[in-house]
Amino acid sequence: MKSTLILIAAGLSASLALSDTSAAQQQGQFGTAEEARAMLLRAVAGLRADKARTLDMINKGQGGFLDRDLYPFCFNAGDGKAIAAGSPNSKQALGQDVRRLVDATGKQYGQELYAAAQKPEGQITEVGYVFPTPSDPNPVPKVSFVTRAAGMACGVGYYKTLASSPQPPGPPPPSPHPPPSPQQQPSDNADGL
């Protein structure tokens, strides 16, 4: 009887531990707004301390600059040229003018990113758009925190619907705007930040 109770207790403990681990993994699968803001502040501190090294680490996704679906992106505050991006989905934007970026709904969010870069250093602006996650090419709603530092503008975004959902995501909700026709969507704007 005693050994049966011990086995039952051990089985219940293992079951609870596994369910707690699974729930924690699901909840931590996507970055939050707070984590995105914290990563942005780390990127800004890095730019101020050693600009070249920080941009290199961002491009390589090293030094904590690629965490699940969170990653920084940086561009020149003057000419809008994209210099660094931690996401594989953003690499095609490097060298391009961010002001030309358009999302899948036709929103010209690049203009908003650039406008945020023109504000005083340290002022953080939120820019909303849709964009693919690092692991999925389907665009979902994203909010990026953008600020100016050391002649650069940097941002870190989080995916709104994913950060608030403890479950693995399904397909994105339908857009209230029809997708742009191929004639409306410039081919060099298919990838962004």
Side-chain angles (χ1 to χ4, degrees):
M1 176 79 171
K2 189 174 183 180
S3 62
T4 304
L5 287 176
I6 291 173
L7 286 176
I8 291 172
L12 285 174
S13 295
S15 175
L16 288 173
L18 288 174
S19 68
D20 287 346
T21 302
S22 176
Q25 287 173 338
Q26 282 183 342
Q27 289 176 350
Q29 187 175 2
F30 304 106
T32 65
E34 294 79 19
E35 291 169 322
R37 186 180 287 266
M39 185 180 285
L40 175 62
L41 296 176
R42 283 194 315 273
V44 166
L47 287 173
R48 289 179 179 148
D50 189 340
K51 185 175 177 179
R53 181 173 181 262
T54 300
L55 292 172
D56 186 54
M57 287 186 346
I58 290 171
N59 276 322
K60 292 178 180 175
Q62 296 175 342
F65 289 127
L66 181 57
D67 178 11
R68 296 162 294 164
D69 59 344
L70 299 176
Y71 58 88
F73 58 87
C74 299
F75 58 93
N76 288 327
D79 65 8
K81 182 180 174 185
I83 303 298
S87 168
N89 290 334
S90 299
K91 297 298 183 188
Q92 293 81 4
L94 295 178
Q96 296 185 24
D97 187 337
V98 299
R99 293 173 284 193
R100 299 188 61 195
L101 296 175
V102 178
D103 74 9
T105 67
K107 180 178 180 180
Q108 297 178 344
Y109 72 97
Q111 292 288 340
E112 292 182 43
L113 294 173
Y114 185 78
Q118 305 315 304
K119 295 181 179 179
E121 189 162 324
Q123 183 175 338
I124 297 174
T125 302
E126 293 183 26
V127 177
Y129 51 101
V130 297
F131 195 74
T133 70
S135 61
D136 185 354
N138 296 313
V140 294
K142 180 175 185 174
V143 174
S144 285
F145 297 111
V146 183
T147 193
R148 182 183 186 119
M152 306 289 300
C154 286
V156 176
Y158 69 99
Y159 296 89
K160 278 182 85 162
T161 56
L162 303 180
S164 62
S165 173
Q167 308 267 336
S175 170
H177 307 288
S181 69
Q183 294 84 16
Q184 292 174 315
Q185 187 171 5
S187 62
D188 63 340
N189 289 338
D191 300 300
L193 301 172

